[in-house]
Amino acid sequence: MRTPNPDPAWHGIRQAIFTARSDADSAPINVKIPAAWGQNAADSLAALFPTAARLDIAEAAAGWIAPIAARAATAGLGENFAGALHALLAARRASPNASVWHGRPGAEPGFTLNPSAFLDETGALDIEGLGQAARLVVTALTLAAPAAHRLAIGITDLNLCLARLGLDYDSAPARDLAVTLLAFVGAEGDCASAALLARAAAPGYPIRTAALPASCLVPGLREATIRAQQEAAALGARRHDSILGFTAEPAIEALLGAATCNFAPAFSPLTEDGRLAPWAERKLAALGLTHAAALAQMLAGETLFPPPRPTAHAAMHDALAPLAAKMPARPALPLAPRRASAREKLPARRTGYTQKVSIGGHKLYLSTGEYASGRLGELFIALHKEGSAFRGLMDAFAIAVSTGLQHGVPLEDYVEAFTFTRFGPAGAVEGDPAVPAATSMIDYVFRNLAANYLHTSLAPATPEPADSVGDGAADRAPLLPLDLPDAAPRERRKTLKLVSNA
């Protein structure tokens, strides 16, 4: 339904109509949003309502705000509840998650606050406004989902907020500020939740006070957090089991103008089109540097935008995790750098030999590759009539041995480890006078290599006799009283007999 007169919070904000798509394959639609928000925000709003024919941000916002405001009026929670929510969204300070936009808040409704929008041009944080916003969104989510006992209120684009304050993301002061900021939002939310507990027949949950860092670079924020925590502790219990939590909804965060999700860092100071990213621009402003001055410093060798360490995101995650009941997956730590390989490569053209033998009636081809000095560097084992699994295992074994030889493992170690291994096929060796018998194919390979490269004579192989089926004599002998028969292999049937019931 079209709203002819949007909420006064949208008055005075120049609007523009963008041609937006919910995804690359969808049909374009017209989206009316504040002109300063840009194309990305229009696409994000289209993604929230992929089946809409047209969209107006003020109308779409009224769709979820009006029912909440009606319940607030019934409960006597304020006359301008709707205006406060519209103003919060119009200033890009906060937005609910997609389920609330669609009027289906579910069991764990959420809201995302944009701390950068609470900073003025001088970098001063509107602490009072942030606290009021935290209380407002807790109340709004409670009215949207009265039965929900878990909320997910988080922050977005922390990287930009830190940059505007002149802090490096990968620093202890930045983590201390993030913890204090989130703790302040949580404490203000606790106060709102505790006030709502008195209005409903809810069991109540104990309020737990979060530990704060020893210092915070934003003047007054730590003191305001302590006051909010003391107020919440005096109230004793709250309506909700949890208040803080991070949801993964990029469309909501993009609607607020966030360049990085929740508390993630930015790894490049440039945008995709090669311009300075907003956070980089803001950091230069916080440092009091013009573009020319920044360029001069960078040409002089200074690093104005040091890339965060690969562990920086995980460190921020660990700092905020004790405060929030719902967190994104912990960023994976980078793998340890690979140790430099000491592999000695073989020449492109190499010498060697190929030996063809038969072991117990099974053919095997052994090929070698040598360094210029004649030292063994690789080997190949080919089996032509064995199963595919056996051939694959033998190929992998040969590659592993070759890799070890090229990394300096002495051939003597392999000979000692793998000679006299026993498994079939085994027996007499035909085609290699140096090795008359082998206890297995691998035993033969290393006996051959020992003879040709180590010039060593090994103890002769004594293959085990093949399994015997016996002659059946013990089975046919009479069983005398109190006499147990000796163990004897079962007699195997010599012939097959066709049995028919015809």
Side-chain angles (χ1 to χ4, degrees):
M1 180 180 296
R2 182 177 178 81
T3 304
N5 296 314
D7 189 89
W10 299 97
H11 295 173
I13 301 177
R14 187 168 66 88
Q15 305 285 313
I17 296 177
F18 293 85
T19 301
R21 297 174 182 268
S22 59
D23 56 62
D25 298 326
S26 64
I29 62 171
N30 290 333
V31 176
K32 184 179 180 181
I33 59 172
W37 290 18
Q39 183 66 50
N40 194 29
D43 292 336
S44 300
L45 187 60
L48 284 176
F49 299 93
T51 61
R54 53 170 295 280
L55 285 169
D56 184 317
I57 183 67
E59 295 177 15
W64 63 268
I65 292 176
I68 295 176
R71 293 172 186 169
T74 302
L77 294 177
E79 297 180 357
N80 195 29
F81 203 87
L85 290 174
H86 275 288
L88 207 58
L89 178 61
R92 305 185 91 177
R93 287 187 163 190
S95 170
N97 59 15
S99 63
V100 176
W101 276 88
H102 290 285
R104 301 186 297 271
E108 193 171 359
F111 232 99
T112 300
L113 298 174
N114 183 10
S116 297
F118 292 89
L119 294 172
D120 62 18
E121 291 302 321
T122 65
L125 179 66
D126 181 7
I127 299 175
E128 182 181 357
L130 180 59
Q132 291 174 353
R135 298 193 184 211
L136 177 63
V137 299
V138 167
T139 305
L141 293 178
T142 305
L143 295 171
H149 291 277
R150 296 175 66 88
L151 306 181
I153 299 173
I155 59 176
T156 186
D157 213 1
L158 176 64
N159 182 80
L160 177 59
C161 180
L162 297 174
R164 293 187 62 181
L165 295 170
L167 295 175
D168 289 330
Y169 179 92
D170 187 13
S171 65
R175 288 188 288 273
D176 290 345
L177 172 60
V179 170
T180 307
L181 184 70
L182 194 61
F184 175 67
V185 172
E188 292 286 354
D190 287 342
C191 294
S193 179
L196 292 167
L197 176 63
R199 296 174 175 268
Y205 297 91
I207 293 177
R208 297 175 292 273
T209 301
L212 297 179
S215 62
C216 176
L217 293 183
V218 175
L221 179 59
R222 188 173 187 276
E223 292 74 15
T225 305
I226 293 174
R227 288 194 299 270
Q229 288 182 338
Q230 291 173 346
E231 180 184 349
L235 293 171
R238 63 192 180 191
R239 180 188 179 112
H240 302 94
D241 182 24
S242 62
I243 300 291
L244 299 176
F246 291 90
T247 57
E249 297 194 34
I252 296 298
E253 301 187 49
L255 190 65
L256 295 174
T260 57
C261 289
N262 50 64
F263 52 84
F267 291 95
S268 173
L270 301 177
T271 60
E272 294 180 354
D273 57 0
R275 299 177 181 272
L276 274 180
W279 73 268
E281 293 271 11
R282 293 291 189 171
K283 184 173 182 179
L284 291 181
L287 296 175
L289 295 175
T290 64
H291 288 186
L295 178 60
Q297 290 191 17
M298 294 180 70
L299 291 176
E302 296 188 27
T303 303
L304 295 178
F305 306 110
R309 294 174 303 158
T311 58
H313 194 186
M316 186 65 77
H317 180 283
D318 294 344
L320 298 177
L323 282 76
K326 185 176 183 179
M327 292 286 290
R330 188 175 188 272
L333 295 177
L335 298 176
R338 182 180 178 183
R339 185 169 54 89
S341 175
R343 180 181 180 184
E344 183 182 356
K345 294 185 177 180
L346 285 159
R349 185 170 183 175
R350 63 206 73 163
T351 58
Y353 64 86
T354 298
Q355 178 72 56
K356 174 185 175 182
V357 296
S358 174
I359 304 173
H362 294 257
K363 290 184 180 180
L364 178 147
Y365 292 82
L366 172 63
S367 299
T368 65
E370 303 170 351
Y371 290 99
S373 62
R375 178 166 59 89
L376 178 66
E378 68 179 357
L379 59 94
F380 300 94
I381 304 171
L383 306 174
H384 286 233
K385 293 186 178 181
E386 307 299 329
S388 60
F390 192 30
R391 292 200 308 270
L393 288 173
M394 195 66 79
D395 289 341
F397 175 76
I399 293 172
V401 172
S402 300
T403 302
L405 291 171
Q406 294 166 28
H407 281 79
V409 179
L411 177 59
E412 291 88 341
D413 291 353
Y414 285 118
V415 170
E416 181 179 357
F418 293 113
T419 50
F420 297 101
T421 53
R422 296 181 179 274
F423 58 87
V429 176
E430 300 176 7
D432 186 357
V435 184
T439 58
S440 66
M441 287 186 169
I442 290 181
D443 174 63
Y444 165 74
V445 167
F446 288 98
R447 285 179 179 275
N448 176 282
L449 297 177
N452 288 280
Y453 290 97
L454 302 180
H455 309 290
T456 301
S457 59
L458 303 175
T462 55
E464 294 181 349
D467 292 342
S468 173
V469 298
D471 58 4
D475 291 335
R476 291 192 296 270
L479 183 62
L480 299 178
L482 303 179
D483 186 20
L484 296 176
D486 294 333
R490 296 174 58 191
E491 183 176 13
R492 183 174 297 166
R493 187 182 299 277
K494 302 290 193 301
T495 60
L496 298 176
K497 181 171 65 175
L498 178 64
V499 178
S500 173
N501 58 0

